[in-house]
Amino acid sequence: MATYNEVYQRSITDPEGFWGEAAQLVSWDKQPKVILDDLRAPLYRWFSDGTLNTCYNALDRHVIHGRADELALVYESPMTGKSSSFTYAQLLEQVALFAGVLRDCGITKGDRVIIYMPMVPQALIAMLATARLGAVHSVVFGGFAPAELAARIDDATPKVIVSASCGLEPNRVVQYKPMLDEAIELAHHKPDCTVIYERPEHRVELGPNDVHWDQAMKIAQPAECVSVAATDPLYILYTSGTTGKPKGIVRDNGGHAVALTWSMKNIYGIDAGDMWWSASDVGWVVGHSYIVYAPLFAGATTLIYEGKPVGTPDAGAFWRVIDKYKVKGLFTAPTAIRAIKKEDHNGEWIKKSDISSLKNLFLAGERLDPDTYHWATEMLGVAVIDNWWQTETGWPIASNLRGLDPLPIKPGSPSGPVPGYKVVVVDENGTLLGRNQEGNIAIQLPMPPGTLPTLWGDDERYISGYLSAFPGMYASGDGGYIDEDGYVFIMGRTDDVINVAGHRLSTGSMEAVVATHPAVAECAVIGVADELKGQLPKAFVVLKKGIDIDPATLQSEVVAAVRHEIGPVAALHRVVIVPGLPKTRSGKILRRSMRAIADHREEPIPGTIEDVAVLDVLRPLLQGE
Ligand code: COA
Ligand code: AMP
């Protein structure tokens, strides 16, 4: 087995040789001769003269090469009590037919399709069908409100939106159709039609522009794969940034197929025929990469799970699923393990199932705290692997590679950089820092295949937002350090992005909503530590002069407004009235200092003496109750 160091060094000293070889894992319509295209640097392109189809790589080629009757997808839904499965041949049939439906709706190469769906196989079918036509999907997480969906409709300008009648949360049926209708009403751009998958749990009335999934499938003709350039977009995935306007991360077809296929074997140790479960949601990048594309590129079986780790129905749900399907690799967020640990500290539920098939537990999306790491390692008896990455990169930047000789694990660190990534730590001027010195984590350009080539329709925003802070580098937005053994330690975001239950959210966009309350003069939303969800947003508000409002009333009105404008996923529940907020001399709120206090990282406070006093008042509110 190749050593991590050998493979990593080769990827850095000979990136074109390394990725040129990895490209052989993919089926191309036209093999690329150009591996790295730097003509428009710092906007790099991979495999720019190659052509391929992503859906062909996920499905057709496995059917053609003798895997037609192997399982491609298993659906397990404790929310409905149902499960089902599709072989590669069956999944291909459904995807080709749904591509026919989309074609009948007018979708051709390059058109955008928004997918707003719960965790059902049809979400994955819609994604692959869009890719089959060479069109571009943009999946919107079901926990976002109509206004957020509308913002994405206006940016992506889709011809078609695919949705479902409902999603199922433990405490309620989430009706998608009214939210979809409201979003279309709010948006300036109007799609030509919507396709609605009607679930038995909730029936819907369809309007004149709505197509019924089942009825359309009955009359559709299967569509063939459309060849696209490696550099053509496969999808847009919106993610939170420092401003309220979400950023449309673009993923290309070629680099994505190469990187993800390589990652499945080398990082996750998964081969064709293996059972793989990524307990996330297709609305997040983990869902795109490791529920849908990578396991199917690899010819493995992917498990779609509609439910929560606890309470649906109990804390043994995950272990029963592993036992039932003999899952080899599980990928989820640390928060899911913390939720189970809270309910089943002694692992009684774990003992009720046979989880001997499980080899590795992979965790990502937020910091893996050492407590959770130790608990999972001890209770499950498998390797617990932290991996650090972002929507922007699409696959891990730092991880312990299970397909190579694994490195020793250091709790608190996702281990070393993944081949292809030149990870460095720099100060605010972009000067490289030494080992164990904390600063901004950056990646030297070019980044490897699969990482974002740009933002949708906005090269300039990509360059100014990511490539300008430290010339020649991509600014990750995370802070941390690299230790004497080359292990990366992520200490948290350097901007106003927070991670709530593994969900990435912008406190800036929450502040924009809080500020609209008529009693609020100014506000700051800060992520405070939470034992279960890692972080929770908390709003600190200063009231307008002369306003007298009951704190409980203010809190419930602000919480309702955030839920209405952003969605339940924002999980803002706490609003506290404070006498003042600390400010710089020019009047900017010292959010950075507030964040540092919330994270228990004491930093010099650049405000006036009065502001230091205000911060002292806020300290207990930021760190505890
Ligand atoms: N559609 C509609 N609403 C949704 C939703 C969806 N797809 N997903 C979440 N929500 C709602 C929840 O119902 C909840 O609403 P509530 O305030 O009415 O209870 C709210 O959004 C907050 O959701 P969440 O933060 O996920 O809290 P939770 O209590 O429902 O679940 C966990 C907490 C930890 C169990 C859950 O977040 C989890 O399993 N996370 C780990 C896996 C994961 O999602 N990873 C993502 C990146 S890898
Ligand atoms: P997302 O784009 O939703 O995947 O969120 C990316 C952000 O989540 C990163 O910039 C980090 O702040 C955080 N994150 C993801 N994985 C990890 C990890 N393993 N350790 C620490 N933080 C992480």
Side-chain angles (χ1 to χ4, degrees):
M1 193 183 274
T3 70
Y4 160 75
N5 278 327
E6 286 163 9
V7 175
Y8 181 75
Q9 285 314 326
R10 163 121 202 270
S11 78
I12 299 304
T13 53
D14 178 20
E16 298 201 58
F18 184 90
W19 291 113
E21 241 167 60
Q24 303 305 316
L25 302 169
V26 164
S27 298
W28 298 90
D29 296 330
K30 179 171 168 254
Q31 283 280 339
K33 290 204 174 61
V34 177
I35 305 302
L36 176 62
D37 173 351
D38 59 4
L39 285 176
R40 292 185 62 221
L43 302 178
Y44 292 90
R45 294 282 191 268
W46 289 92
F47 314 114
S48 53
D49 61 344
T51 63
L52 77 166
N53 181 277
T54 288
C55 181
Y56 181 89
N57 276 277
L59 299 177
D60 302 59
R61 69 168 176 161
H62 300 306
V63 172
I64 292 165
H65 295 125
R67 307 190 59 78
D69 298 330
E70 304 275 324
L71 279 183
L73 188 160
V74 166
Y75 166 60
E76 179 73 18
S77 169
M79 297 305 302
T80 59
K82 289 180 191 152
S83 52
S84 59
S85 61
F86 298 74
T87 63
Y88 269 95
Q90 290 166 335
L91 189 58
L92 174 56
E93 190 190 355
Q94 292 293 304
V95 167
L97 273 180
F98 193 66
V101 171
L102 290 176
R103 190 181 49 193
D104 293 345
C105 294
I107 294 295
T108 57
K109 184 167 156 178
D111 288 338
R112 272 81 58 212
V113 175
I114 279 191
I115 299 171
Y116 185 53
M117 292 186 91
M119 284 293 289
V120 288
Q122 284 70 22
L124 185 143
I125 290 169
M127 291 166 77
L128 289 164
T130 306
R132 192 168 187 84
L133 296 177
V136 183
H137 61 69
S138 185
V139 182
V140 179
F141 179 61
F144 282 120
E148 290 284 330
L149 177 58
R152 288 152 175 79
I153 293 174
D154 278 336
D155 200 66
T157 60
K159 226 182 220 176
V160 174
I161 302 183
V162 185
S163 190
S165 58
C166 70
L168 301 168
E169 286 295 295
N171 52 2
R172 66 190 187 284
V173 172
V174 181
Q175 296 185 24
Y176 277 70
K177 186 69 169 61
M179 293 199 288
L180 177 61
D181 290 345
E182 190 183 335
I184 294 173
E185 185 68 36
L186 286 172
H188 298 291
H189 171 83
K190 310 290 174 194
D192 293 351
C193 75
T194 53
V195 183
I196 309 291
Y197 176 66
E198 190 173 38
R199 304 184 72 185
E201 290 75 20
H202 180 70
R203 300 284 173 197
V204 273
E205 287 273 306
L206 297 187
N209 282 342
D210 300 324
V211 174
H212 190 277
W213 178 295
D214 286 338
Q215 288 166 10
M217 287 288 266
K218 278 197 194 117
I219 51 169
Q221 293 300 312
E224 287 308 313
C225 291
V226 174
S227 199
V228 296
T231 52
D232 279 341
L234 167 66
Y235 70 75
I236 310 164
L237 179 55
Y238 289 89
T239 192
S240 305
T242 41
T243 65
K245 189 174 181 268
K247 297 184 283 196
I249 305 301
V250 174
R251 194 79 56 216
D252 67 9
N253 277 274
H256 174 254
V258 172
L260 263 59
T261 307
W262 186 91
S263 76
M264 212 52 208
K265 182 163 184 57
N266 291 283
I267 301 180
Y268 298 103
I270 293 292
D271 287 304
D274 286 340
M275 180 61 75
W276 169 257
W277 177 18
S278 180
S280 177
D281 187 289
V282 286
W284 306 112
V285 71
V286 172
H288 279 64
S289 295
Y290 293 106
I291 294 176
V292 185
Y293 288 111
L296 296 178
F297 288 152
T301 308
T302 187
L303 197 150
I304 298 195
Y305 180 77
E306 187 182 32
K308 306 268 170 179
V310 292
T312 53
D314 51 47
F318 268 32
W319 321 124
R320 277 196 301 278
V321 173
I322 289 172
D323 189 351
K324 179 172 174 187
Y325 295 105
K326 303 297 163 218
V327 172
K328 182 175 175 190
L330 169 64
F331 189 158
T332 189
T335 191
I337 302 299
R338 285 196 299 269
I340 296 172
K341 174 174 155 230
K342 197 167 157 226
E343 298 284 309
D344 186 28
H345 197 267
N346 297 324
E348 295 305 326
W349 281 105
I350 302 173
K351 290 179 206 145
K352 292 183 207 275
S353 297
D354 173 7
I355 59 161
S356 57
S357 60
L358 189 69
K359 299 291 171 259
N360 296 297
L361 168 64
F362 298 97
L363 297 171
E366 53 168 332
R367 181 169 175 267
L368 171 56
D369 53 287
D371 266 5
T372 305
Y373 165 80
H374 287 299
W375 184 85
T377 307
E378 193 184 319
M379 291 293 159
L380 303 178
V382 300
V384 176
I385 309 301
D386 185 5
N387 39 138
W388 168 61
W389 50 296
Q390 315 179 305
T391 306
E392 287 83 345
T393 64
W395 64 292
I397 310 167
S399 186
N400 207 301
L401 283 78
R402 307 318 281 175
L404 304 178
D405 65 327
L407 295 173
I409 292 172
K410 286 194 194 186
S413 166
S415 302
V418 163
Y421 288 97
K422 291 172 276 184
V423 181
V424 293
V425 181
V426 294
D427 68 12
E428 52 281 15
N429 304 314
T431 307
L432 291 179
L433 296 177
R435 293 288 154 111
N436 289 310
Q437 282 185 287
E438 195 173 326
N440 303 287
I441 306 198
I443 301 165
Q444 287 177 332
L445 298 176
M447 292 208 286
T451 54
L452 80 168
T454 190
L455 295 178
W456 179 248
D458 208 343
D459 287 350
E460 259 171 44
R461 190 174 177 204
Y462 174 49
I463 294 172
S464 65
Y466 293 96
L467 308 182
S468 300
F470 315 121
M473 297 174 220
Y474 164 88
S476 73
D478 280 309
Y481 63 94
I482 300 178
D483 80 357
E484 59 287 355
D485 299 320
Y487 281 58
V488 180
F489 285 77
I490 308 297
M491 305 309 287
R493 296 285 306 192
T494 53
D495 54 15
D496 71 358
V497 167
I498 57 170
N499 257 281
V500 180
H503 307 144
R504 175 166 160 182
L505 298 163
S506 155
T507 54
S509 61
M510 290 186 224
E511 282 174 9
V513 180
V514 178
T516 58
H517 191 282
V520 173
E522 54 185 4
C523 66
V525 175
I526 306 290
V528 299
D530 181 75
E531 226 176 274
L532 175 63
K533 297 195 178 183
Q535 282 184 302
L536 271 181
K538 193 169 184 176
F540 296 85
V541 306
V542 179
L543 294 182
K544 284 182 183 155
K545 276 215 171 69
I547 295 268
D548 185 22
I549 182 168
D550 167 42
T553 307
L554 177 75
Q555 176 162 289
S556 71
E557 287 175 3
V558 167
V559 166
V562 169
R563 204 176 163 91
H564 181 260
E565 290 300 313
I566 298 175
V569 70
L572 177 81
H573 301 298
R574 295 295 315 278
V575 180
V576 283
I577 299 171
V578 291
L581 291 167
K583 301 214 178 123
T584 60
R585 277 176 217 286
S586 59
K588 269 185 82 181
I589 296 171
L590 285 166
R591 291 184 174 81
R592 196 187 150 103
S593 303
M594 291 174 73
R595 282 200 301 265
I597 291 175
D599 292 349
H600 293 264
R601 284 184 292 114
E602 293 299 324
E603 284 185 1
I605 296 163
T608 60
I609 294 173
E610 296 91 84
D611 293 319
V612 173
V614 172
L615 273 172
D616 283 340
V617 174
L618 294 183
R619 191 177 306 271
L621 296 168
L622 286 160
Q623 293 182 340
E625 265 314 284

